[in-house]
Amino acid sequence: MNEVIIDRLNHQGKGICLVDGKVVFVDNALPSERVSICIDKVNRKFCLASVSRYIVKSDSRVVPECPYYGLCGGCDIMHMSYGYQHDFKFNKVLDIVRKFVKDDIVVNDIIYGDQFGYRNKTTFHVKEKIGFYKEKTYDLIGVNNCLISSLEINGILSILSKMDLSNIDSVVIRSSYDNKKVMVILNIVAKINESMFIERLKDDVSSIYVNDKGYRLIFGEEFIIDKIGDLRFVISPGSFFQVNTSMAFQLYSIVKNYVGSACKLLDLYCGTGTIGLFLADVCKEVIGVELNSSAIHDANVNRKLNNIDNVRFICGDSGRVLRELNYKPDVIVVDPPRSGLDGLAINEVIGLRPSKIVYVSCDPVTLARDLNILKEFYSIREISLVDMFPNTHHVEC
């Protein structure tokens, strides 16, 4: 048992202190707090620890409203006041940019929305009960309510928690922010009583899918529809859609402001086309590129759904498509996965020399890595932050 004072936070929101000259990362601890800690794991360069007793607490500490906090592996900074969460995320991005990019880049204040009830998609695991895995384990924590998920998702969770879920590995529940419709996807490992699920859920859901090496609709509509701004988007069982619909509008509005008035625009890693279609009214033409063929299918459905005729989509790897595509864009928007831009893609983007690049990132570290390459060819204007994932250490840039 060691008594320590927490010095600062790492980028995942864990407290940092020194014990016998060795760095220790402490769960659920805030700067300036005096705590007694237990060392849980010793590595060569650092230790992991948990708090056994709080001696002096930070004024920024709050009692988490979720009864499962600290057990399930979802939220990880709910012990911070919401205002302090924003300060943490802002300072994290600022620290990463200054440390790894080393340019005097403006980082704008974070834009935030609802702290709870914001998720329109949640995956629940099943092992005799339904819930979430404990962080970094396969130990299942049974839950009957998730504070960051929508009311509609929690309503279906309440029904499922009372049902026989034998032969089900996990359940994905998706809801529409706009019309409150719900889709349930049952990921199965063996045959289930499908009629039982239809009977129990039919009054509360729009769609039920069974997934066993492929999605199969067993009840209701093929997809649900949600809106971002004035545009409608289909949500299929496997399609990507921003999990925080209201903050997606804020994010896309920032992107539109940065794009300005573009004659020709390339939208790389376009997914189901949400960003490119959102920008269509300020562009003469848009080409979206995405590797996932089912996402491209949904992108074309979304294009027709919104009667947009100046956008087209190409299925393929972004870097390879750019190498073969004879197209000179004025602006390129990229929204890559957490791993950031691959080498081929970033080289092709630079080779096209657009007047402007707008980079949407869910990981500030890979963003900083890519900015280090791009800054040799471009001036970096600024970074804006959107709190897409309250109560977690993640932040969208």
Side-chain angles (χ1 to χ4, degrees):
M1 198 78 66
N2 296 277
E3 185 177 309
V4 299
I5 296 177
I6 303 301
D7 178 54
R8 62 193 189 280
L9 299 175
N10 73 356
H11 294 155
Q12 286 71 48
K14 297 182 185 296
I16 300 176
C17 63
L18 291 177
V19 174
D20 298 329
K22 197 168 191 176
V23 173
V24 180
F25 298 112
V26 186
D27 281 333
N28 203 337
L30 298 178
S32 79
E33 289 189 325
R34 183 183 293 274
V35 294
S36 292
I37 61 172
C38 295
I39 302 296
D40 300 319
K41 188 174 182 179
V42 178
N43 289 328
R44 186 168 61 88
K45 293 185 177 180
F46 62 89
C47 299
L48 303 178
S50 54
V51 176
S52 59
R53 184 167 68 97
Y54 294 94
I55 301 166
V56 178
K57 293 183 178 180
S58 167
D59 292 339
S60 298
R61 174 173 293 280
V62 296
V63 177
E65 295 186 34
C66 177
Y68 311 107
Y69 184 69
L71 297 175
C72 97
C75 301
D76 52 11
I77 60 170
M78 198 183 281
H79 59 282
M80 302 178 189
S81 69
Y82 198 31
Y84 191 80
Q85 289 186 29
H86 300 151
D87 292 342
F88 158 68
K89 293 182 182 186
F90 174 85
N91 288 323
K92 173 173 77 169
V93 174
L94 193 64
D95 178 66
I96 289 170
V97 169
R98 286 178 175 171
K99 183 176 181 180
F100 297 109
V101 185
K102 298 190 172 83
D103 277 10
D104 188 20
I105 302 168
V106 173
V107 179
N108 294 322
D109 287 341
I110 192 166
I111 296 173
Y112 60 91
D114 294 330
Q115 185 179 0
F116 299 109
Y118 63 84
R119 287 194 68 94
N120 59 36
K121 175 187 176 184
T122 307
T123 299
F124 299 96
H125 297 281
V126 177
K127 275 187 183 178
E128 298 178 354
K129 52 192 174 183
I130 185 168
F132 300 114
Y133 287 135
K134 191 173 181 179
E135 186 178 11
K136 297 179 181 178
T137 75
Y138 290 106
D139 299 333
L140 193 76
I141 307 299
V143 303
N144 55 29
N145 186 56
C146 172
L147 286 181
I148 63 171
S149 297
S150 70
L151 288 173
E152 293 73 30
I153 289 175
N154 280 307
I156 301 305
L157 173 62
S158 178
I159 297 172
L160 291 172
S161 64
K162 300 178 181 70
M163 296 180 64
D164 178 8
L165 302 178
S166 300
N167 298 330
I168 294 179
D169 176 70
S170 61
V171 180
V172 180
I173 308 176
R174 311 190 72 156
S175 64
S176 167
Y177 184 84
D178 177 57
N179 56 30
K180 312 305 179 186
K181 289 191 174 184
V182 179
M183 173 185 291
V184 174
I185 302 121
L186 306 171
N187 297 313
I188 66 173
V189 295
K191 190 175 181 180
I192 62 170
N193 184 348
E194 295 178 5
S195 60
M196 176 187 71
F197 284 94
I198 294 171
E199 184 61 31
R200 292 291 296 275
L201 297 174
K202 65 182 182 181
D203 293 333
D204 298 281
V205 304
S206 301
S207 310
I208 304 175
Y209 278 88
V210 168
N211 181 24
D212 178 16
K213 300 177 182 178
Y215 296 109
R216 179 166 53 87
L217 181 67
I218 64 171
F219 171 80
E221 303 167 9
E222 183 181 354
F223 48 76
I224 57 178
I225 294 177
D226 210 344
K227 290 182 72 175
I228 299 178
D230 295 325
L231 300 182
R232 296 182 295 162
F233 298 98
V234 299
I235 301 175
S236 300
S239 65
F240 173 80
F241 190 75
Q242 293 282 1
V243 299
N244 189 332
T245 310
S246 64
M247 296 310 290
F249 174 73
Q250 298 288 344
L251 175 70
Y252 293 177
S253 297
I254 293 171
V255 172
K256 178 176 280 191
N257 180 59
Y258 283 154
V259 166
S261 180
C263 292
K264 298 165 71 175
L265 183 133
L266 261 178
D267 176 21
L268 303 184
Y269 309 90
C270 71
T272 56
T274 50
I275 292 180
L277 294 169
F278 193 86
L279 300 176
D281 63 338
V282 296
C283 299
K284 180 179 180 181
E285 58 182 357
V286 178
I287 296 179
V289 181
E290 167 61 44
L291 182 61
N292 186 301
S293 59
S294 62
I296 287 293
H297 172 269
D298 285 353
N300 282 306
V301 172
N302 289 328
R303 180 176 57 80
K304 294 175 183 177
L305 185 66
N306 292 285
N307 298 311
I308 294 174
D309 58 11
N310 64 332
V311 179
R312 66 185 176 100
F313 297 103
I314 299 173
C315 185
D317 174 77
S318 289
R320 295 181 185 279
V321 169
L322 293 190
R323 176 170 284 183
E324 299 169 3
L325 186 66
N326 183 22
Y327 189 74
K328 179 66 176 174
D330 301 299
V331 178
I332 294 180
V333 174
V334 298
D335 186 7
R338 193 168 297 279
S339 56
L341 296 172
D342 63 55
L344 178 60
I346 201 166
N347 286 334
E348 292 298 320
V349 166
I350 292 169
L352 285 172
R353 290 293 198 278
S355 62
K356 189 185 297 181
I357 299 169
V358 182
Y359 191 134
V360 180
S361 171
C362 58
D363 189 332
V365 174
T366 54
L367 171 63
R369 181 202 66 198
D370 292 345
L371 289 182
N372 261 327
I373 299 171
L374 292 168
K375 73 178 185 180
E376 300 300 320
F377 306 90
Y378 289 87
S379 58
I380 304 169
R381 181 184 297 175
E382 62 185 39
I383 299 176
S384 292
L385 310 180
V386 180
D387 193 14
M388 300 285 286
F389 314 102
N391 304 305
T392 80
H393 71 270
H394 300 290
V395 61
E396 201 86 2
C397 301

